[in-house]
């Protein structure tokens, strides 16, 4: 009986440990590069079915769930913007985010094309 009790306690501790590790891993800040959508995508459907609008604060990421709000910080100047994930991409291994032109313009210069960023989930 005592062995069974100890086994249950060990399993509970293990389960809570894995749960807390997963939460910390998804909430962590990540660094990468971000680019912005070309104007030719205005009016097209995004992966979640919305019509894309370059004047809204939205973004594409390969893995984050649709509707997730993230804070994107330009590592060159410290400016921040909050965007909502509504599309999949970018499909370039060096970048983690494609953000709308309006969001990109808020934190960086659109003449650059890509900027180093840090991003984290805020919602």
């Amino acid at each position: 009986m005592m062995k069974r009790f100890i086994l249950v306690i060990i399993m509970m501790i293990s389960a809570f440990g894995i749960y807390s590790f997963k939460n910390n891993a998804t909430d962590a800040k990540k660094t990468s590069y971000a680019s912005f959508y070309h104007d030719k995508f205005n009016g097209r459907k995004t992966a979640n079915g919305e019509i894309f609008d370059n004047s809204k604060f939205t973004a594409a990421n390969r893995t984050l769930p649709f509707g997730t709000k993230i804070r994107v910080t330009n590592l060159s100047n410290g400016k921040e913007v909050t965007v909502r994930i509504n599309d999949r991409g970018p499909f370039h291994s060096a970048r983690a985010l494609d953000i709308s032109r309006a969001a990109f313009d808020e934190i960086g210069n659109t003449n650059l094309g890509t900027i180093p960023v840090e991003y984290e989930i805020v919602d």
Side-chain angles (χ1 to χ4, degrees):
M1 183 68 174
M2 187 64 161
K3 288 181 182 180
R4 188 175 289 183
F5 177 73
I6 292 173
L7 183 60
V8 169
I9 296 296
I10 291 171
M11 289 174 56
M12 288 175 54
I13 291 171
S14 297
F16 288 129
I18 291 170
Y19 175 76
S20 66
F21 176 74
K22 285 184 179 179
N23 278 349
N24 289 339
T26 59
D27 293 341
K29 293 181 181 181
K30 297 180 175 107
T31 58
S32 185
Y33 286 88
S35 57
F36 64 92
Y37 281 87
H38 190 276
D39 287 333
K40 72 180 182 180
F41 294 106
N42 258 344
R44 294 187 184 179
K45 278 190 176 181
T46 61
N48 75 349
E50 289 180 29
I51 301 299
F52 178 70
D53 184 350
N54 235 343
S55 66
K56 294 184 177 177
F57 291 144
T58 58
N61 181 270
R62 290 182 292 275
T63 58
L64 291 173
F66 294 135
T68 302
K69 291 184 180 178
I70 59 172
R71 180 182 307 113
V72 181
T73 305
N74 183 337
L75 293 175
S76 299
N77 61 18
K79 291 182 179 179
E80 299 177 347
V81 67
T82 300
V83 295
R84 182 179 49 85
I85 302 297
N86 72 338
D87 202 4
R88 289 292 170 233
F91 298 106
H92 189 282
S93 61
R95 296 189 301 267
L97 296 170
D98 271 338
I99 61 179
S100 64
R101 182 180 287 270
F104 194 95
D105 196 40
E106 191 82 11
I107 61 171
N109 181 353
T110 54
N111 292 329
L112 297 177
T114 61
I115 53 174
V117 295
E118 176 180 83
Y119 63 99
E120 64 181 322
I121 297 172
V122 294
D123 185 38

